[in-house]
Amino acid sequence: MRFPVLASTATLAASLLVAPNATAQRPGSDTTNVFTPEMKFFANPDPRIAQYEASQGTGTPVRSIGAVELSPDGKKIAWMVANEPVAGARRGGGMQLHISPALSPSPSEPAISAGDGCFSSLPRWSPDGATLAFVGTCADHQPQIYLRNSAGKVSQLTHIKGTLTSPAWSPDGSSIGFLYVENATRSAGALAAMKPPAGVIGQDGVEIQWVAAANAKSGEISVVTPKTLHAYEFDWAPDSKHMAFVAANPPGENTWWIAQMYTVATGDPASAKSILNPVTAGGSLHGLQIAVPRYSPDGRNIAFIGGLMSDQGSTGGDIYLMGSDGSGLQDLTTGRKSTPVYIAWADNDHIAFSEDQPGKSHLSVLGTNGKELLEGWTAPQSISSGRASLSFSFSPSAKMVAFVSAGPDKAAEVYAGDPRGLRAVTQINEHATGAASKTVSLEWENEGFHVQGWLTLPENYDANKKYPMIVSVHGGPSSEVGPGNAGGGNGLYAHLGYFVLSPNPRGSYGQGEAFVQANRKDFGYGDLRDILKGVDTAEMKYSIDDKRLGLTGWSYGGFMSMFAITQTNRFRAAVAGAGISNWQSYYGENSIDQWMVPFFGATVYDDPAVYAKSSAINFINKVTTPELILVGDRDGECPAPQSYEMWHALRALGKKTELVVYPNEGHGFSNPAHSADRTARTVAWFEDNMK
């Protein structure tokens, strides 16, 4: 529940599928032979949208940099970088995979590919550093694992049919594990479009994701985990004979929120046993979610991230440690005023980790005693290696870290080095033309909470003029707008003369688990007050017209765009994307009802009042704000009936509203034409109602 709605056409199309390791491995759309309703596109898009898009092709465009992987000895780096841009193009062509010296990567190194017309992704070094595995996707759109040996020869290892994600070498180099859905027709998870309903719901056509392994010499495939469990993440034990994995009963899109930690002998799926069940666990982990399991080098312990998380892949919480048999569970970062996200063992006694801080990303090394802490790199920039949220590539033997980083005023570059002496080791974008708009970090206090957000200023801002402002609420709610996407997608609105405020209210990552859990059983109240205080803060510092405020968001942000206008008349216009208008009816409509109990404290059948108090439909008579409502017709996370219900009520009460349903779209849109239409309608709605 974390997708944004404010984005320019090109940015939106590129940013919709934000789940880590997802883009190159997703199978083709399952819409073949499915009736597609006619979509009547917006007739008169604002010509300034096209003008803005055209302007992005002038100057020196930013080149995208993707996955980065340090070799085990820290001397080489495998990385993805976009081709040199063609004159007049907004950005370069497709991404290319290269191997370079770790401290001086250059895209002039020969590209590594599975063949002409193939897309390469997810590079992974063998434990001895002699072989690079990567995923290649060619004309048949079927991802396969390829190997590039030390002599530079590339060969195909697997010949599967289905989805293939998250490859990982076994420590002895004999196998490559990966997540696998055999004969998949859609991506695993709730973000892609749901299948059209048919047959016995919840039983027919359910696709289960397993951990599989390919023999590194023969390519022979074996399924490691039980075929009755849907696996989400895994890690090899140091002996290469066992795995730890996070899994739940299918359907997988619904049960990640109650997933357990299992271990299994790699040749015996029936040996799988649960070693941790957060639903029944005591202490601070009770009822929360788990992610990023990692064995210690000696195999005695497993560390992981545990916290209140609203989506798989959008990770955040505390660092937990337990024995590899599940014993001795302890929270190593309890009370920490920031949000650890990703971990890697430095040695048997230390864990390297990345975390969200207010307006910044941070690297540290934590002792397993929970006390020793070695502070590392901190900057108002992102951290990403292409593996997962805030992930980095780490070489314990070389004590080196590598990742791609960008910020509101810094284009992406590769950073590498000692965690306390990291520096940019590429200058790919040193001459790139920056955004015409400026984005700054704002911080404010409200009701005992310290809150942070981002403010994008209009182009050519003049303090002597008054400007309208759009408030864009992120999805989640367990998520955040970090420095890597601060201002991202807001350039069009800055070009049109708007401020854009992107707040991180209570419920967001960045300020510790207590801050994340502060909106439990309180959706739309405390977080809305944090947002409105942020609006006040922005207005005190900048020339913003309080009579021309707009509100928008997607997913949880869509809910806020529906609910907030029942609580305040401060906004002149609202655009709700994939929103939730009635938590009571939503409980029985969505494909992911298991996420709700951790946030509401009970099922809707046991405590309907807690759901009712945050339902916009129960306060609908108070609405005066015109609202545009947008949704995909096959959205499983925030089903279209929720948008129909809000639109129907507003229309019945004579309020200004409009509902647009996009055919064959899920929670994240896949059709660029629909994304462009969404942008055009959003711009027109704000322009028409915020004059």
Side-chain angles (χ1 to χ4, degrees):
M1 303 219 355
R2 61 187 184 275
F3 286 99
V5 69
L6 269 187
S8 65
T9 306
T11 302
L12 218 161
S15 67
L16 278 171
L17 295 175
V18 298
N21 301 341
T23 305
Q25 293 70 47
R26 292 188 182 276
S29 171
D30 61 341
T31 59
T32 305
N33 297 324
V34 174
F35 173 71
T36 302
E38 180 181 356
M39 175 72 198
K40 186 175 181 180
F41 291 103
F42 193 67
N44 297 300
D46 192 314
R48 294 175 298 171
I49 299 175
Q51 293 167 5
Y52 172 77
E53 293 295 334
S55 73
Q56 302 307 290
T58 62
T60 305
V62 173
R63 293 177 70 179
S64 300
I65 303 176
V68 294
E69 283 285 314
L70 279 172
S71 60
D73 61 7
K75 295 180 179 179
K76 295 176 291 186
I77 191 169
W79 61 305
M80 304 286 301
V81 62
N83 291 331
E84 189 76 37
V86 178
R90 180 174 178 181
R91 51 174 60 86
M95 302 284 282
Q96 297 286 348
L97 174 61
H98 300 272
I99 295 176
S100 301
L103 295 180
S104 56
S106 170
S108 63
E109 303 285 346
I112 298 165
S113 173
D116 291 341
C118 297
F119 179 82
S120 303
S121 64
L122 302 179
R124 300 287 188 267
W125 291 101
S126 61
D128 63 4
T131 304
L132 183 73
F134 65 94
V135 174
T137 306
C138 301
D140 61 357
H141 303 294
Q142 172 58 57
Q144 303 287 356
I145 295 177
Y146 290 78
L147 302 180
R148 189 255 192 201
N149 66 19
S150 57
K153 181 181 178 181
V154 174
S155 59
Q156 183 174 340
L157 179 66
T158 63
H159 296 81
I160 67 165
K161 185 177 181 181
T163 57
L164 187 165
T165 63
S166 306
W169 285 87
S170 61
D172 64 5
S174 65
S175 301
I176 301 174
F178 56 93
L179 295 174
Y180 175 46
V181 180
E182 188 176 33
N183 298 318
T185 62
R186 61 180 296 275
S187 301
L191 301 179
M194 297 291 109
K195 292 181 180 180
V200 181
I201 303 303
Q203 297 181 29
D204 294 347
V206 174
E207 297 177 358
I208 305 176
Q209 183 167 264
W210 310 316
V211 180
N215 184 287
K217 292 183 178 180
S218 68
E220 182 182 357
I221 303 297
S222 61
V223 176
V224 178
T225 56
K227 292 187 176 182
T228 55
L229 288 176
H230 188 104
Y232 303 98
E233 295 182 83
F234 69 96
D235 190 46
W236 289 94
D239 65 5
S240 299
K241 297 178 181 179
H242 298 83
M243 278 186 182
F245 64 100
V246 177
N249 291 323
E253 62 262 24
N254 187 33
T255 50
W256 175 77
W257 293 271
I258 54 172
Q260 303 176 38
M261 184 93 72
Y262 293 82
T263 56
V264 64
T266 53
D268 183 13
S271 68
K273 62 179 180 180
S274 173
I275 62 170
L276 176 65
N277 183 354
V279 175
T280 58
S284 60
L285 188 65
H286 177 69
L288 302 183
Q289 289 71 56
I290 54 177
V292 200
R294 295 293 184 266
Y295 274 101
S296 60
D298 61 10
R300 294 183 178 181
N301 296 305
I302 296 175
F304 62 93
I305 301 293
L308 185 66
M309 307 179 218
S310 46
D311 290 275
Q312 188 205 356
S314 182
T315 302
D318 283 337
I319 300 174
Y320 285 83
L321 181 69
M322 65 182 179
S324 57
D325 60 356
S327 62
L329 179 67
Q330 55 182 312
D331 184 346
L332 298 182
T333 56
T334 182
R336 189 169 178 82
K337 300 299 183 182
S338 49
T339 304
V341 176
Y342 189 80
I343 56 175
W345 285 87
D347 55 44
N348 288 321
D349 300 313
H350 298 89
I351 301 168
F353 69 98
S354 60
E355 64 178 355
D356 288 319
Q357 294 183 350
K360 299 176 183 177
S361 299
H362 179 62
L363 283 173
S364 282
V365 177
L366 177 69
T368 54
N369 59 9
K371 298 177 181 178
E372 185 181 3
L373 188 66
L374 305 176
E375 301 289 359
W377 182 84
T378 303
Q381 296 173 219
S382 60
I383 293 174
S384 174
S385 73
R387 282 179 175 262
S389 295
L390 228 62
S391 63
F392 52 87
S393 181
F394 183 58
S395 167
S397 63
K399 294 183 172 56
M400 280 183 59
V401 174
F403 53 82
V404 180
S405 185
D409 58 353
K410 288 185 181 294
E413 299 289 359
V414 176
Y415 284 68
D418 179 277
R420 289 171 292 182
L422 282 161
R423 61 182 178 87
V425 294
T426 59
Q427 293 79 41
I428 300 296
N429 289 310
E430 63 176 336
H431 300 300
T433 305
S437 56
K438 179 181 179 182
T439 297
V440 298
S441 177
L442 289 182
E443 300 189 26
W444 61 94
E445 305 293 327
N446 189 49
E447 300 176 354
F449 292 102
H450 182 79
V451 189
Q452 185 271 340
W454 302 93
L455 185 68
T456 300
L457 278 60
E459 286 184 12
N460 305 311
Y461 170 63
D462 181 351
N464 295 314
K465 298 180 180 179
K466 285 283 188 180
Y467 297 84
M469 183 170 74
I470 298 170
V471 177
S472 179
V473 184
H474 67 66
S478 301
S479 182
E480 71 147 0
V481 181
N485 56 358
N490 294 343
L492 170 62
Y493 294 90
H495 179 71
L496 297 177
Y498 292 89
F499 281 91
V500 181
L501 176 65
S502 302
N504 288 312
R506 68 189 78 174
S508 304
Y509 293 150
Q511 308 208 49
E513 190 62 15
F515 189 77
V516 175
Q517 297 190 29
N519 74 338
R520 258 181 163 175
K521 303 173 71 171
D522 192 47
F523 282 4
Y525 291 96
D527 46 6
L528 177 58
R529 294 193 298 273
D530 288 347
I531 290 169
L532 294 177
K533 186 62 178 293
V535 171
D536 294 338
T537 301
E539 290 181 354
M540 286 189 292
K541 294 186 176 183
Y542 295 93
S543 185
I544 297 168
D545 186 351
D546 187 64
K547 301 298 183 183
R548 290 191 293 161
L549 297 178
L551 177 66
T552 190
W554 195 263
S555 195
Y556 188 83
F559 151 69
M560 288 294 289
S561 299
M562 292 178 174
F563 188 74
I565 62 173
T566 71
Q567 305 298 304
T568 177
N569 297 326
R570 196 164 176 181
F571 297 102
R572 289 285 299 275
V575 178
I580 298 165
S581 61
N582 184 345
W583 290 105
Q584 292 174 276
S585 60
Y586 170 80
Y587 196 99
E589 293 170 353
N590 71 77
S591 298
I592 56 168
D593 60 5
Q594 294 296 333
W595 83 269
M596 303 179 73
V597 174
F599 287 86
F600 285 90
T603 70
V604 71
Y605 315 115
D606 294 322
D607 188 1
V610 73
Y611 290 84
K613 82 166 192 174
S614 292
S615 294
I617 208 72
N618 292 329
F619 308 95
I620 201 71
N621 283 296
K622 298 180 179 180
V623 175
T624 62
T625 303
E627 179 150 73
L628 171 65
I629 303 169
L630 310 168
V631 70
D633 71 338
R634 287 161 57 188
D635 189 333
E637 286 212 1
C638 299
Q642 287 296 306
S643 293
Y644 276 98
E645 193 167 348
M646 186 74 178
W647 165 76
H648 186 279
L650 292 174
R651 187 182 65 158
L653 293 171
K655 312 295 183 180
K656 184 176 181 180
T657 186
E658 186 173 284
L659 169 65
V660 184
V661 179
Y662 292 88
N664 291 324
E665 294 287 11
H667 198 57
F669 283 16
S670 60
N671 186 331
H674 292 164
S675 299
D677 183 83
R678 183 171 74 174
T679 298
R681 293 180 189 274
T682 300
V683 167
W685 194 262
F686 284 130
E687 288 288 289
D688 289 345
N689 293 289
M690 291 173 59
K691 294 178 180 177

